[in-house]
Amino acid sequence: MDNLLSYQVNNLLSDKRTVGSCVNTIEELSVEVYSKIRLGYANKKAASGLMDFDDMQSYLYLWLVKFGSSEDENERNTAAGIRSYCRAMWRDFYIDEAQDVSKIQFEILKSMMTEPDAPNKLLVNLVVIGDDDQCIYEWRGSNPSILLSIGPTFNIRTLVLSTNYRCKRNVLDYASNGIKYNTTRYEKGMKSYMDGGEVEIIKSKKMDLYSLSGIARDCVKKFMSGGSKENEIAVLSRNNFHLCILSNMLLRDGIYCYMTDDMKLTKSYMYRDIKSLFDLSEPSWKSTLTSSMLWKICNYMSKAASSLIGNFQDSTGLSLCDTLGYLLKKFTNRGINFDTAGKKIVIPKQTEQQLDYYMSRLQSVTIDDLEDIYNALNTGDSKKAFEILTFKYLETSSYMYKSKDKKRTIQGIIKYITYLIEEDGVEKTKSLLRVTEQFENSRMGIVGDRVTLSTIHSAKGREWKNVIMFACDNISQPSFDGICSMVDKGVSVSDIFKNIDEERRLFYVGNTRAKDKLTVITYEEPSIFMKEALGEVDNSNNDDRILRLAQGVE
C-alpha cells in the first residue's frame, strides 16, 4: 500500500487510475477502499503534525506548479516568490541518475528552471546524466521517458557515453542483445573497453528452489576453488526470498554471506511452519504447536478446533500422538488401535462436551487426515512422519501458495530439510538450524570476506568479478503469473507492456553487474529475456509475443 500511495503522488494519478495500474498487486482493492485508506493516512499525519517524503513533493508541486497557473493572484505571487528564491540560490542544475526522475519531480524542476509562459526556455544551466536502460524503479514512480525527452524539450545537446569500462565484451554483448528489445529507449551502441569475458548458461531439470540453489552453491564453490575471493562473487535474484535456501547451503559448507533480513531462511513464515512440522514429527508435548499447526495440516479444520485439541493436550499432558489416538478412539468409529491403559486421562465435563461437539462435526476428510497423522506419528519414524506432515501441509495450505513462485519456494524448503535429515540425520539437522538462527540473528562474530547475496534492485551501481543470475525463467524474470494477473485485473495493455519493459531493464542491470564471468541459472524452459539475449527470438512485436506466451496462447 505504501508503494501504491507513492506511485500515485509521483505520477500525479487519480485514485481510479492508481488502483487500475500495473503496480497494484493488492487483490480485490476497490477505488472506494483505497480512497478511504489514503485519506485516513493523510488525516493521521496531519493530526500528528508529520509529513513523509511524498508530502514534501506534493507541497512543492502545489506551491510552484499549481499556484503558478492559479487564477488567485496571491497564489501566483507565492509561486513567483519561490521561483525567484530558487534562482537567486542556484544557477546550475546537475541531475544524476536522471532515468529515475518522476513526473511530479520533473514538473517541480521545470517550474524552478523556466517561466510559466515559456516552459521550454531554460533560465539556468542544466546537465542531466543517466541511462534509460537502467530505470528499474517505475513501480515507485520513476519515468525513463523524461530522460529521453528532456533534450528535445529544452534543446540541449545529447552526449553518449558509449564505452563500458566494467563488463568484458562477451558479457556486455549478451546484456546488450536483450535490452534492445525494449520498445522505447535510446540506442547507444555500447562497446566494451575490455575484450574477453564469459557467459555460461546452466539449465536445471527441476524448477524448485532447492534444485536451483544446489547449482548456485556448486558455482560459488567452483569460483572459490579457481582462486576467486568471496567478495568477488555475487548471486543476484529477482526477489529476496529466492536466495534463502542457498544462503543456508553455503553456511553449512562454511561459506558466509552478506544478505538482507528478507533473505534469511529463519525469518520467513514458511520456515517457521516447516520448522514446526519438523518438531511435530518427533514425539511432541508442545500443545502450542498443536494449536497453531494442526488446522494447517488437516483439510477443513477450523482454528477453533485446532486450539481446542491443543488445550486438551495441555490439560492431559499427552503427546500429540496419544492425544490424536485418544480422540479418534473415543469420538469416532474408526476402530483406532489405541491403548489407554496406564494413562490416567481426566477430562472436565465441559471440555468433553466441546470435544464431542467439534469431533462430531468434522468432515470425513478431516478425520482421514487426523488418522493419517496419528498413524505416521505412531510408527516412531520421525523421518517418515515429517514426509507425511509436509505432504499434508502442502495439500491443505495450497491456497497460501497460489503462484508458481511461492509454490516452488515452499517445495524447495521442504526438499532441503528432507535432504538434511537424510544426509545428516535428525540431530545434526536440528543443530544446523540452531546455528542458522544464531547466525541470522547476528549472534555470531564472523570475520573475513563474504559472498554477496542480493536482489537485482539492491545490486544497482555495484559490480563483482563473478556474478550468478539466479532463477532466470518465466516464473521470476519475467513472472508470467504476474502478467496474467494484470490481464485478469483489467490493466491496460500499454501498462502491461511498460511493466515488461521494466522487467527487461532489471534483467539488463543484473547481467551488467558482472565484470569477467556471468553465470545464468535457469530452468529447462528459460526466461524469454534470456532467449532474447541469446538471439533465439525475433525482434518484432516481442512484448505482444510475451503477453501471448504468458497467457498460454502461443
Side-chain angles (χ1 to χ4, degrees), residues 200-243:
E200 181 183 16
I201 310 296
I202 302 178
K203 292 184 180 181
S204 168
K205 292 184 178 180
K206 297 180 180 179
M207 67 178 177
D208 66 87
L209 292 192
Y210 166 68
S211 302
L212 298 176
S213 297
I215 295 172
R217 173 201 56 201
D218 294 343
C219 288
V220 169
K221 294 171 76 173
K222 184 178 178 182
F223 287 142
M224 292 176 63
S225 65
S228 292
K229 297 178 182 178
E230 287 92 331
N231 63 359
E232 295 178 317
I233 304 168
V235 186
L236 308 183
S237 66
R238 177 62 182 84
N239 299 317
N240 277 301
F241 204 60
H242 283 166
L243 300 177

CSV table of all heavy atoms in Angstrom, one decimal, residues 200-243:
chain,number,residue,atom,x,y,z
A,200,GLU,N,28.0,-18.1,-19.1
A,200,GLU,CA,27.7,-19.6,-19.0
A,200,GLU,C,26.3,-19.8,-18.6
A,200,GLU,O,25.8,-19.2,-17.7
A,200,GLU,CB,28.6,-20.2,-17.9
A,200,GLU,CG,28.4,-21.7,-17.8
A,200,GLU,CD,29.2,-22.4,-16.7
A,200,GLU,OE1,29.7,-21.6,-15.8
A,200,GLU,OE2,29.3,-23.6,-16.7
A,201,ILE,N,25.6,-20.6,-19.4
A,201,ILE,CA,24.2,-20.9,-19.2
A,201,ILE,C,24.1,-22.3,-18.5
A,201,ILE,O,24.6,-23.3,-19.1
A,201,ILE,CB,23.3,-20.9,-20.4
A,201,ILE,CG1,23.6,-19.6,-21.2
A,201,ILE,CG2,21.9,-21.1,-20.1
A,201,ILE,CD1,23.1,-18.3,-20.5
A,202,ILE,N,23.5,-22.4,-17.4
A,202,ILE,CA,23.3,-23.7,-16.7
A,202,ILE,C,21.8,-24.0,-16.5
A,202,ILE,O,21.1,-23.2,-15.9
A,202,ILE,CB,24.0,-23.8,-15.3
A,202,ILE,CG1,25.5,-23.5,-15.5
A,202,ILE,CG2,23.8,-25.1,-14.7
A,202,ILE,CD1,26.2,-23.5,-14.2
A,203,LYS,N,21.3,-25.1,-17.1
A,203,LYS,CA,19.9,-25.4,-17.0
A,203,LYS,C,19.6,-26.5,-16.0
A,203,LYS,O,20.3,-27.5,-16.0
A,203,LYS,CB,19.4,-25.8,-18.4
A,203,LYS,CG,19.3,-24.7,-19.4
A,203,LYS,CD,18.7,-25.2,-20.7
A,203,LYS,CE,18.7,-24.1,-21.8
A,203,LYS,NZ,18.0,-24.5,-23.0
A,204,SER,N,18.7,-26.3,-15.2
A,204,SER,CA,18.2,-27.3,-14.2
A,204,SER,C,17.1,-28.1,-14.7
A,204,SER,O,16.2,-27.5,-15.4
A,204,SER,CB,17.8,-26.6,-12.9
A,204,SER,OG,17.2,-27.5,-12.0
A,205,LYS,N,17.0,-29.4,-14.4
A,205,LYS,CA,15.9,-30.2,-14.9
A,205,LYS,C,14.7,-29.9,-14.0
A,205,LYS,O,13.5,-30.3,-14.4
A,205,LYS,CB,16.3,-31.7,-14.8
A,205,LYS,CG,17.3,-32.1,-15.9
A,205,LYS,CD,17.6,-33.5,-15.9
A,205,LYS,CE,18.6,-33.9,-16.9
A,205,LYS,NZ,18.9,-35.4,-16.9
A,206,LYS,N,14.9,-29.3,-12.8
A,206,LYS,CA,13.8,-29.1,-11.9
A,206,LYS,C,13.7,-27.6,-11.6
A,206,LYS,O,14.7,-26.9,-11.6
A,206,LYS,CB,13.9,-29.9,-10.6
A,206,LYS,CG,13.9,-31.4,-10.9
A,206,LYS,CD,14.0,-32.2,-9.6
A,206,LYS,CE,14.0,-33.7,-9.8
A,206,LYS,NZ,14.2,-34.4,-8.6
A,207,MET,N,12.5,-27.1,-11.3
A,207,MET,CA,12.4,-25.6,-11.1
A,207,MET,C,12.3,-25.2,-9.7
A,207,MET,O,12.2,-24.0,-9.4
A,207,MET,CB,11.1,-25.1,-11.9
A,207,MET,CG,9.8,-25.6,-11.3
A,207,MET,SD,8.4,-24.9,-12.2
A,207,MET,CE,7.0,-25.7,-11.4
A,208,ASP,N,12.2,-26.2,-8.7
A,208,ASP,CA,12.1,-25.8,-7.3
A,208,ASP,C,13.4,-25.1,-6.9
A,208,ASP,O,14.5,-25.4,-7.4
A,208,ASP,CB,11.8,-27.0,-6.5
A,208,ASP,CG,12.9,-28.0,-6.4
A,208,ASP,OD1,13.8,-27.9,-5.6
A,208,ASP,OD2,12.9,-28.9,-7.3
A,209,LEU,N,13.3,-24.3,-5.8
A,209,LEU,CA,14.5,-23.5,-5.4
A,209,LEU,C,15.6,-24.3,-4.8
A,209,LEU,O,16.7,-23.9,-4.7
A,209,LEU,CB,14.0,-22.4,-4.5
A,209,LEU,CG,13.1,-21.3,-5.1
A,209,LEU,CD1,13.0,-20.2,-4.1
A,209,LEU,CD2,13.7,-20.8,-6.4
A,210,TYR,N,15.2,-25.5,-4.3
A,210,TYR,CA,16.3,-26.4,-3.7
A,210,TYR,C,17.2,-26.9,-4.9
A,210,TYR,O,18.4,-26.8,-4.7
A,210,TYR,CB,15.6,-27.6,-3.1
A,210,TYR,CG,16.6,-28.8,-2.8
A,210,TYR,CD1,17.6,-28.6,-1.8
A,210,TYR,CD2,16.5,-30.0,-3.5
A,210,TYR,CE1,18.5,-29.6,-1.5
A,210,TYR,CE2,17.4,-31.0,-3.2
A,210,TYR,CZ,18.4,-30.8,-2.2
A,210,TYR,OH,19.3,-31.8,-2.0
A,211,SER,N,16.6,-27.3,-6.0
A,211,SER,CA,17.5,-27.7,-7.1
A,211,SER,C,18.3,-26.6,-7.7
A,211,SER,O,19.5,-26.7,-7.9
A,211,SER,CB,16.6,-28.3,-8.2
A,211,SER,OG,15.8,-29.4,-7.7
A,212,LEU,N,17.7,-25.4,-7.9
A,212,LEU,CA,18.4,-24.3,-8.4
A,212,LEU,C,19.5,-23.8,-7.4
A,212,LEU,O,20.6,-23.4,-7.8
A,212,LEU,CB,17.4,-23.1,-8.7
A,212,LEU,CG,16.4,-23.4,-9.7
A,212,LEU,CD1,15.4,-22.2,-9.8
A,212,LEU,CD2,17.0,-23.7,-11.1
A,213,SER,N,19.2,-23.9,-6.1
A,213,SER,CA,20.2,-23.4,-5.1
A,213,SER,C,21.4,-24.3,-5.1
A,213,SER,O,22.5,-23.9,-4.9
A,213,SER,CB,19.5,-23.4,-3.7
A,213,SER,OG,18.5,-22.4,-3.7
A,214,GLY,N,21.2,-25.6,-5.3
A,214,GLY,CA,22.3,-26.6,-5.3
A,214,GLY,C,23.2,-26.2,-6.4
A,214,GLY,O,24.5,-26.3,-6.3
A,215,ILE,N,22.7,-25.9,-7.6
A,215,ILE,CA,23.6,-25.5,-8.7
A,215,ILE,C,24.3,-24.2,-8.4
A,215,ILE,O,25.5,-24.1,-8.6
A,215,ILE,CB,22.7,-25.3,-10.0
A,215,ILE,CG1,22.1,-26.6,-10.4
A,215,ILE,CG2,23.5,-24.7,-11.1
A,215,ILE,CD1,21.0,-26.5,-11.5
A,216,ALA,N,23.7,-23.2,-7.8
A,216,ALA,CA,24.3,-22.0,-7.4
A,216,ALA,C,25.4,-22.2,-6.4
A,216,ALA,O,26.5,-21.6,-6.5
A,216,ALA,CB,23.3,-21.0,-6.9
A,217,ARG,N,25.2,-23.1,-5.4
A,217,ARG,CA,26.2,-23.4,-4.4
A,217,ARG,C,27.4,-24.0,-5.1
A,217,ARG,O,28.6,-23.6,-4.8
A,217,ARG,CB,25.6,-24.4,-3.4
A,217,ARG,CG,26.7,-24.9,-2.4
A,217,ARG,CD,26.2,-26.2,-1.8
A,217,ARG,NE,25.9,-27.2,-2.8
A,217,ARG,CZ,25.2,-28.3,-2.7
A,217,ARG,NH1,24.6,-28.5,-1.5
A,217,ARG,NH2,25.0,-29.1,-3.6
A,218,ASP,N,27.2,-24.9,-6.0
A,218,ASP,CA,28.4,-25.5,-6.7
A,218,ASP,C,29.1,-24.5,-7.5
A,218,ASP,O,30.4,-24.6,-7.6
A,218,ASP,CB,27.9,-26.7,-7.6
A,218,ASP,CG,27.3,-27.8,-6.8
A,218,ASP,OD1,27.6,-27.9,-5.6
A,218,ASP,OD2,26.6,-28.7,-7.4
A,219,CYS,N,28.4,-23.5,-8.1
A,219,CYS,CA,29.1,-22.5,-8.9
A,219,CYS,C,30.0,-21.6,-8.0
A,219,CYS,O,31.1,-21.3,-8.3
A,219,CYS,CB,28.1,-21.6,-9.6
A,219,CYS,SG,27.3,-22.4,-11.0
A,220,VAL,N,29.4,-21.2,-6.8
A,220,VAL,CA,30.2,-20.4,-5.8
A,220,VAL,C,31.5,-21.2,-5.4
A,220,VAL,O,32.6,-20.6,-5.4
A,220,VAL,CB,29.3,-20.1,-4.6
A,220,VAL,CG1,30.2,-19.5,-3.5
A,220,VAL,CG2,28.2,-19.1,-5.0
A,221,LYS,N,31.3,-22.4,-5.1
A,221,LYS,CA,32.5,-23.2,-4.7
A,221,LYS,C,33.5,-23.4,-5.8
A,221,LYS,O,34.7,-23.4,-5.6
A,221,LYS,CB,32.0,-24.6,-4.2
A,221,LYS,CG,31.2,-24.5,-2.9
A,221,LYS,CD,30.5,-25.8,-2.5
A,221,LYS,CE,31.5,-26.7,-1.9
A,221,LYS,NZ,30.9,-27.9,-1.3
A,222,LYS,N,33.0,-23.5,-7.0
A,222,LYS,CA,33.9,-23.6,-8.2
A,222,LYS,C,34.7,-22.3,-8.4
A,222,LYS,O,35.9,-22.3,-8.7
A,222,LYS,CB,33.1,-23.9,-9.5
A,222,LYS,CG,33.9,-24.1,-10.7
A,222,LYS,CD,33.1,-24.5,-11.9
A,222,LYS,CE,33.9,-24.6,-13.2
A,222,LYS,NZ,33.0,-24.9,-14.3
A,223,PHE,N,34.0,-21.1,-8.2
A,223,PHE,CA,34.7,-19.8,-8.3
A,223,PHE,C,35.8,-19.8,-7.3
A,223,PHE,O,36.9,-19.3,-7.5
A,223,PHE,CB,33.7,-18.7,-8.1
A,223,PHE,CG,32.8,-18.4,-9.3
A,223,PHE,CD1,31.5,-18.0,-9.1
A,223,PHE,CD2,33.3,-18.5,-10.6
A,223,PHE,CE1,30.7,-17.8,-10.1
A,223,PHE,CE2,32.4,-18.3,-11.7
A,223,PHE,CZ,31.1,-17.9,-11.4
A,224,MET,N,35.5,-20.2,-6.0
A,224,MET,CA,36.5,-20.1,-5.0
A,224,MET,C,37.6,-21.1,-5.2
A,224,MET,O,38.8,-20.7,-4.9
A,224,MET,CB,35.8,-20.4,-3.6
A,224,MET,CG,34.8,-19.3,-3.2
A,224,MET,SD,33.8,-19.7,-1.7
A,224,MET,CE,35.2,-19.7,-0.5
A,225,SER,N,37.3,-22.2,-5.6
A,225,SER,CA,38.4,-23.2,-5.9
A,225,SER,C,39.3,-22.7,-7.1
A,225,SER,O,40.5,-23.1,-7.2
A,225,SER,CB,37.9,-24.6,-6.2
A,225,SER,OG,37.1,-24.6,-7.4
A,226,GLY,N,38.8,-21.8,-7.9
A,226,GLY,CA,39.5,-21.3,-9.0
A,226,GLY,C,40.3,-20.0,-8.6
A,226,GLY,O,41.0,-19.4,-9.5
A,227,GLY,N,40.3,-19.7,-7.4
A,227,GLY,CA,41.1,-18.6,-6.9
A,227,GLY,C,40.3,-17.3,-6.6
A,227,GLY,O,40.9,-16.3,-6.1
A,228,SER,N,39.0,-17.2,-6.8
A,228,SER,CA,38.3,-16.0,-6.5
A,228,SER,C,38.0,-15.9,-5.0
A,228,SER,O,37.7,-16.9,-4.3
A,228,SER,CB,36.9,-16.0,-7.3
A,228,SER,OG,37.1,-15.9,-8.6
A,229,LYS,N,38.1,-14.7,-4.5
A,229,LYS,CA,37.7,-14.4,-3.1
A,229,LYS,C,36.2,-14.3,-3.0
A,229,LYS,O,35.5,-14.0,-3.9
A,229,LYS,CB,38.4,-13.2,-2.6
A,229,LYS,CG,39.9,-13.2,-2.7
A,229,LYS,CD,40.5,-11.9,-2.2
A,229,LYS,CE,42.1,-11.9,-2.3
A,229,LYS,NZ,42.7,-10.6,-1.9
A,230,GLU,N,35.8,-14.5,-1.7
A,230,GLU,CA,34.3,-14.4,-1.5
A,230,GLU,C,33.7,-13.1,-1.9
A,230,GLU,O,32.6,-13.0,-2.5
A,230,GLU,CB,34.0,-14.7,0.0
A,230,GLU,CG,34.1,-16.1,0.4
A,230,GLU,CD,35.5,-16.4,1.0
A,230,GLU,OE1,36.5,-15.7,0.5
A,230,GLU,OE2,35.7,-17.3,1.9
A,231,ASN,N,34.5,-12.0,-1.7
A,231,ASN,CA,33.9,-10.7,-2.0
A,231,ASN,C,34.0,-10.3,-3.5
A,231,ASN,O,33.6,-9.3,-3.9
A,231,ASN,CB,34.6,-9.6,-1.2
A,231,ASN,CG,36.1,-9.5,-1.6
A,231,ASN,OD1,36.6,-10.2,-2.4
A,231,ASN,ND2,36.8,-8.5,-0.9
A,232,GLU,N,34.4,-11.3,-4.3
A,232,GLU,CA,34.4,-11.1,-5.8
A,232,GLU,C,33.3,-11.9,-6.4
A,232,GLU,O,33.2,-12.0,-7.6
A,232,GLU,CB,35.7,-11.6,-6.4
A,232,GLU,CG,37.0,-10.8,-6.0
A,232,GLU,CD,38.2,-11.4,-6.5
A,232,GLU,OE1,38.4,-12.6,-6.5
A,232,GLU,OE2,39.1,-10.6,-7.0
A,233,ILE,N,32.4,-12.5,-5.5
A,233,ILE,CA,31.3,-13.3,-6.0
A,233,ILE,C,30.0,-12.7,-5.5
A,233,ILE,O,29.8,-12.4,-4.3
A,233,ILE,CB,31.4,-14.7,-5.5
A,233,ILE,CG1,32.8,-15.3,-5.9
A,233,ILE,CG2,30.3,-15.6,-6.0
A,233,ILE,CD1,33.1,-16.6,-5.2
A,234,ALA,N,29.0,-12.7,-6.4
A,234,ALA,CA,27.6,-12.2,-6.0
A,234,ALA,C,26.6,-13.1,-6.7
A,234,ALA,O,26.8,-13.5,-7.9
A,234,ALA,CB,27.4,-10.8,-6.4
A,235,VAL,N,25.5,-13.4,-6.0
A,235,VAL,CA,24.4,-14.1,-6.6
A,235,VAL,C,23.2,-13.2,-6.5
A,235,VAL,O,22.9,-12.6,-5.5
A,235,VAL,CB,24.0,-15.4,-5.8
A,235,VAL,CG1,22.9,-16.2,-6.5
A,235,VAL,CG2,25.3,-16.3,-5.6
A,236,LEU,N,22.6,-12.9,-7.7
A,236,LEU,CA,21.5,-11.9,-7.8
A,236,LEU,C,20.2,-12.6,-8.1
A,236,LEU,O,20.2,-13.5,-9.0
A,236,LEU,CB,21.9,-10.9,-8.9
A,236,LEU,CG,23.2,-10.2,-8.8
A,236,LEU,CD1,23.4,-9.2,-9.9
A,236,LEU,CD2,23.4,-9.6,-7.4
A,237,SER,N,19.1,-12.2,-7.5
A,237,SER,CA,17.8,-12.8,-7.7
A,237,SER,C,16.8,-11.7,-7.9
A,237,SER,O,17.0,-10.5,-7.6
A,237,SER,CB,17.4,-13.6,-6.5
A,237,SER,OG,17.2,-12.8,-5.4
A,238,ARG,N,15.6,-12.1,-8.4
A,238,ARG,CA,14.5,-11.1,-8.7
A,238,ARG,C,13.9,-10.7,-7.3
A,238,ARG,O,13.5,-9.6,-7.1
A,238,ARG,CB,13.5,-11.8,-9.6
A,238,ARG,CG,12.2,-10.9,-9.9
A,238,ARG,CD,12.6,-9.6,-10.5
A,238,ARG,NE,11.5,-8.8,-10.8
A,238,ARG,CZ,10.9,-7.9,-9.9
A,238,ARG,NH1,11.5,-7.8,-8.6
A,238,ARG,NH2,9.9,-7.2,-10.2
A,239,ASN,N,13.7,-11.7,-6.4
A,239,ASN,CA,13.1,-11.5,-5.2
A,239,ASN,C,14.0,-11.9,-4.0
A,239,ASN,O,14.8,-12.8,-4.1
A,239,ASN,CB,11.7,-12.2,-5.1
A,239,ASN,CG,10.7,-11.8,-6.1
A,239,ASN,OD1,10.6,-10.6,-6.4
A,239,ASN,ND2,10.1,-12.8,-6.8
A,240,ASN,N,13.8,-11.3,-2.9
A,240,ASN,CA,14.6,-11.5,-1.7
A,240,ASN,C,14.7,-13.0,-1.3
A,240,ASN,O,15.7,-13.6,-1.1
A,240,ASN,CB,14.1,-10.7,-0.5
A,240,ASN,CG,14.6,-9.3,-0.5
A,240,ASN,OD1,15.8,-9.0,-0.5
A,240,ASN,ND2,13.7,-8.3,-0.5
A,241,PHE,N,13.5,-13.6,-1.2
A,241,PHE,CA,13.4,-14.9,-0.6
A,241,PHE,C,13.9,-16.0,-1.5
A,241,PHE,O,14.0,-17.2,-1.1
A,241,PHE,CB,12.0,-15.2,0.0
A,241,PHE,CG,12.0,-16.2,1.1
A,241,PHE,CD1,12.7,-16.0,2.2
A,241,PHE,CD2,11.4,-17.5,0.9
A,241,PHE,CE1,12.7,-16.9,3.3
A,241,PHE,CE2,11.4,-18.4,2.0
A,241,PHE,CZ,12.1,-18.1,3.1
A,242,HIS,N,14.2,-15.7,-2.7
A,242,HIS,CA,14.7,-16.7,-3.7
A,242,HIS,C,16.0,-17.3,-3.2
A,242,HIS,O,16.4,-18.5,-3.5
A,242,HIS,CB,14.9,-16.1,-5.0
A,242,HIS,CG,13.7,-16.0,-5.8
A,242,HIS,ND1,13.6,-15.2,-7.0
A,242,HIS,CD2,12.4,-16.5,-5.6
A,242,HIS,CE1,12.4,-15.3,-7.5
A,242,HIS,NE2,11.6,-16.0,-6.7
A,243,LEU,N,16.8,-16.6,-2.4
A,243,LEU,CA,18.1,-17.0,-2.0
A,243,LEU,C,18.2,-17.5,-0.6
A,243,LEU,O,19.3,-17.8,-0.1
A,243,LEU,CB,19.1,-15.8,-2.2
A,243,LEU,CG,19.2,-15.2,-3.6
A,243,LEU,CD1,20.1,-14.0,-3.7
A,243,LEU,CD2,19.7,-16.3,-4.6
